[in-house]
Amino acid sequence: MLKTAMRYSHELLREVVVTGDYVVDATMGNGHDTLFLAQLVGENGKVDAFDIQEAALLATKEKLAPFPEKKAVHLHLDGHENVAEYLQEEKIKAAIFNLGYLPKSDKQVITLPQTTKKALDALLAHLLPKGRIVVVCYYGHSGGQAELDAIKTYCQQLPQKQYNVLAYQFINQKNQPPVLFCIEAK
């Protein structure tokens, strides 16, 4: 059975992230990816997770509460476009974005192409060789198609000598199924 974009995103990250790594959840949302990354890196790794909505931070904190790996997680009530301020000189093994809006929330508060591109630029500058950035674009909302188009163009323009880029998408499903992009540093 073919995997959904979310399940495939986790598989792509599981292939490269190990205990002790430094990773980023650029859009923490309800904390599913943050917890997944924390479990991959373990208590000695590091996860920086970002969101602009306090509801996302609170939901993520609650999701992490029972797990010892929460010690590895740093939650930031800040936009992912500011990720460079937190990375400083450190290198990351992986990052993930889920673009769109926070589920069961205000659908007017969405990720934006310009902030996502700024975050991608910063993360690529800190990505280790063989590291991966996964971007899952949910685009069935106002502004979503423009962001999907911008991210697709961004990924297509990455230099082949430095990166491999994968696009994964179901093309015969209703309701704009998400599109996954995976950028791997060579």
Side-chain angles (χ1 to χ4, degrees), residues 16-152:
V16 297
V17 177
V18 298
T19 302
D21 279 342
Y22 179 19
V23 297
V24 172
D25 183 353
T27 51
M28 79 175 83
N30 287 311
H32 302 289
D33 290 334
T34 307
L35 174 59
F36 171 74
L37 290 170
Q39 291 173 327
L40 289 179
V41 303
E43 295 178 49
N44 295 321
K46 182 177 176 184
V47 180
D48 273 325
F50 297 85
D51 209 296
I52 61 169
Q53 295 181 80
E54 189 170 3
L57 189 134
L58 295 173
T60 301
K61 191 179 284 190
E62 185 177 321
K63 181 168 272 317
L64 293 169
F67 297 95
E69 296 91 350
K70 71 183 174 198
K71 293 184 345 189
V73 179
H74 305 273
L75 303 179
H76 306 287
L77 187 59
D78 200 355
H80 55 231
E81 68 273 18
N82 298 317
V83 69
E85 296 171 24
Y86 299 87
L87 296 176
Q88 297 172 10
E89 298 301 314
E90 293 186 75
K91 295 291 186 179
I92 63 166
K93 181 61 86 58
I96 188 165
F97 292 76
N98 281 292
L99 303 179
Y101 58 86
L102 179 63
K104 300 177 184 170
S105 172
D106 182 355
K107 293 181 181 177
Q108 301 303 309
V109 180
I110 60 172
T111 54
L112 302 169
Q114 60 272 24
T115 61
T116 300
K117 288 196 277 186
K118 184 175 179 184
L120 284 168
D121 286 343
L123 291 167
L124 286 173
H126 291 267
L127 189 62
L128 289 165
K130 307 291 186 229
R132 292 179 179 166
I133 299 175
V134 174
V135 182
V136 181
C137 295
Y138 294 86
Y139 61 99
H141 60 280
S142 180
Q145 185 65 51
E147 185 167 43
L148 172 62
D149 294 344
I151 299 308
K152 182 177 181 181

Side-chain angles (χ1 to χ4, degrees), residues 3-15:
K3 293 175 177 58
T4 64
M6 194 247 352
R7 289 192 70 209
Y8 192 43
S9 71
H10 285 191
E11 183 176 313
L12 290 165
L13 294 172
R14 192 179 294 111
E15 289 175 356

